[in-house]
Amino acid sequence: KQNFTNMTTLCYISVCCYSKVLYGFELKLNDEGDDIEFFFEKIFIHKSHASQVRTLESKHDILLSGSDDETIKVYNLQKRKEIGSLMEHKGSVGQIFFIDNDKWVVTSSTDGKMIFWKTKEWQPFLTLNVTKDISSSPHNCPKLAVHPSSKLIMSLDEKWMLKLWNVVTGGCSFTTKVKLNYSLIKKDENEEVEFHYEPKKKAPTSIMWSPDGLFYSILVDNYIFTFDQEGSEVSGIDCVQSGSEMIFFDNDIVCVGLQNGNIKCFNVKSGELVREWNDHQSRVKSLKLLKFPLSVINQNSEDDDEDDDEDDYWFLIVTCSSNGIINVWTC
């Protein structure tokens, strides 16, 4: 049995599964030896919902889970306690985000609604109708992308209607239908040929802003399409395998988890493959980027400077696959 007494706790890691159960871990750091080692300490197992859990989101000690049972559960990780349920949605809850310095939470559901919640009282503050006539499949829940400023939210539904919402006014400021018939470069033997990709009635997998808010990317099937703020095409990327989730590593690099268990990192502006590695033996279900100051590792060093450079951070990528394996990767 591993002794965690003298290890540093970096963060909480929570995962959900088809059996309606939440698992909670603390990610531990052991830097007393010559090599840095990471360990998982299990802290809870909790049957949280009456149906499959679709999404998780956490900030500090608060964890939220959304489910097919149309509810959102709220947990205090420090106290290991469920503290309430949010029950305004009338469909499967597919996405949850903290915004505006964690003062608000925004959620989306197959009922076609986007709801804003006050985190202080956990009461609904604003409900917006994102789309109508949505199919009941949980996979077709409207996809949301919160701008880094927290003042704008982009929504994309299964019919490829993209809307830009002003969080300050609570209104929709822009609507357009996304057309993905843009040119991609795909290698065919020794030649590069240009082709057009037309989605075959597939709903988008995810949409995400770059950290600087100057670009946004859409993942659908095998492809990542990147656009600038004006909606002009920047690049189209063929991942070869179907993608399940993507994250931005920085303003230029996007990482995507694939159905075959691999992770690929691309430059979203040039479309160039930057790195690829085999992560899991089955589909990558989730990717998360974690950022820590170097002082977490060097906290016992005698050479620490009082003024740390803003770039003095180190990063971890946490991945989870459909066969129940969680991996942590140093970057």
Side-chain angles (χ1 to χ4, degrees):
K1 186 177 180 180
Q2 186 67 45
N3 183 7
F4 300 106
T5 305
N6 296 321
M7 295 187 188
T8 302
T9 300
L10 292 177
C11 64
Y12 298 109
I13 294 179
S14 301
V15 295
C16 57
C17 62
Y18 295 120
S19 60
K20 315 163 192 174
V21 176
L22 290 183
Y23 295 85
F25 304 88
E26 284 183 345
L27 182 60
K28 299 286 189 177
L29 170 69
N30 182 14
D31 59 350
E32 292 186 345
D34 295 332
D35 299 321
I36 295 175
E37 296 179 295
F38 298 96
F39 298 92
F40 287 108
E41 181 182 10
K42 188 181 293 183
I43 57 175
F44 68 82
I45 301 176
H46 177 61
K47 187 173 182 180
S48 56
H49 288 272
S51 233
Q52 180 177 335
V53 183
R54 289 288 174 182
T55 183
L56 295 176
E57 184 68 12
S58 64
K59 274 293 179 73
H60 308 300
D61 295 331
I62 299 298
L63 172 69
L64 302 177
S65 63
S67 168
D68 286 348
D69 64 10
E70 305 180 357
T71 66
I72 301 164
K73 297 292 184 72
V74 186
Y75 313 89
N76 186 306
L77 292 175
Q78 187 175 25
K79 297 179 179 179
R80 316 284 197 266
K81 183 180 180 181
E82 182 180 320
I83 59 177
S85 298
L86 312 179
M87 297 181 289
E88 288 292 314
H89 280 297
K90 304 301 180 185
S92 298
V93 181
Q95 285 191 299
I96 304 172
F97 295 99
F98 283 89
I99 62 173
D100 194 16
N101 295 320
D102 312 334
K103 296 177 182 177
W104 311 88
V105 163
V106 59
T107 60
S108 70
S109 166
T110 54
D111 60 11
K113 295 182 181 350
M114 177 168 59
I115 300 180
F116 293 81
W117 310 79
K118 291 183 178 180
T119 56
K120 187 175 182 180
E121 304 92 0
W122 291 113
Q123 294 294 323
F125 174 76
L126 177 66
T127 300
L128 299 174
N129 291 313
V130 175
T131 184
K132 297 179 180 180
D133 302 324
I134 191 171
S135 67
S136 59
S137 171
H139 299 288
N140 293 335
C141 176
K143 305 303 185 293
L144 304 182
V146 179
H147 192 270
S149 66
S150 289
K151 295 180 180 179
L152 299 171
I153 294 179
M154 191 173 286
S155 67
L156 183 63
D157 64 25
E158 62 177 333
K159 298 178 181 178
W160 292 92
M161 289 301 299
L162 185 145
K163 297 180 180 180
L164 187 64
W165 301 87
N166 188 318
V167 176
V168 178
T169 63
C172 179
S173 56
F174 178 77
T175 302
T176 187
K177 190 172 182 67
V178 179
K179 297 180 180 180
L180 298 181
N181 57 343
Y182 300 110
S183 299
L184 297 176
I185 299 298
K186 184 176 183 180
K187 290 186 177 181
D188 183 13
E189 296 180 351
N190 296 324
E191 297 182 357
E192 291 190 346
V193 296
E194 191 175 89
F195 77 104
H196 293 276
Y197 171 70
E198 291 284 355
K200 298 179 180 180
K201 297 183 179 180
K202 287 192 174 182
T205 303
S206 64
I207 181 171
M208 182 172 288
W209 286 97
S210 62
D212 58 9
L214 299 180
F215 303 91
Y216 62 92
S217 293
I218 299 172
L219 173 64
V220 54
D221 200 14
N222 295 6
Y223 304 96
I224 301 173
F225 296 90
T226 300
F227 306 84
D228 60 20
Q229 290 176 314
E230 286 72 37
S232 300
E233 174 201 8
V234 175
S235 69
I237 298 170
D238 183 7
C239 302
V240 182
Q241 292 285 333
S242 181
S244 52
E245 187 166 347
M246 66 176 176
I247 57 170
F248 271 92
F249 183 78
D250 56 28
N251 293 325
D252 298 323
I253 305 300
V254 66
C255 303
V256 58
L258 304 177
Q259 296 283 347
N260 65 353
N262 286 6
I263 301 286
K264 289 186 177 182
C265 299
F266 296 93
N267 185 305
V268 293
K269 298 176 183 176
S270 67
E272 177 187 1
L273 177 63
V274 176
R275 186 178 179 185
E276 177 181 7
W277 71 93
N278 184 277
D279 186 14
H280 295 276
Q281 299 303 312
S282 60
R283 175 179 49 163
V284 178
K285 287 285 291 180
S286 182
L287 291 170
K288 291 295 181 183
L289 180 66
L290 305 179
K291 177 181 176 180
F292 302 97
L294 285 177
S295 58
V296 173
I297 297 179
N298 301 324
Q299 57 185 345
N300 297 322
S301 172
E302 296 178 357
D303 300 325
D304 287 348
D305 296 327
E306 291 184 4
D307 298 324
D308 293 332
D309 190 278
E310 63 178 4
D311 295 327
D312 286 343
Y313 290 92
W314 56 289
F315 299 86
L316 300 176
I317 293 180
V318 180
T319 62
C320 184
S321 67
S322 57
N323 63 355
I325 302 298
I326 306 171
N327 286 338
V328 178
W329 304 86
T330 56
C331 303

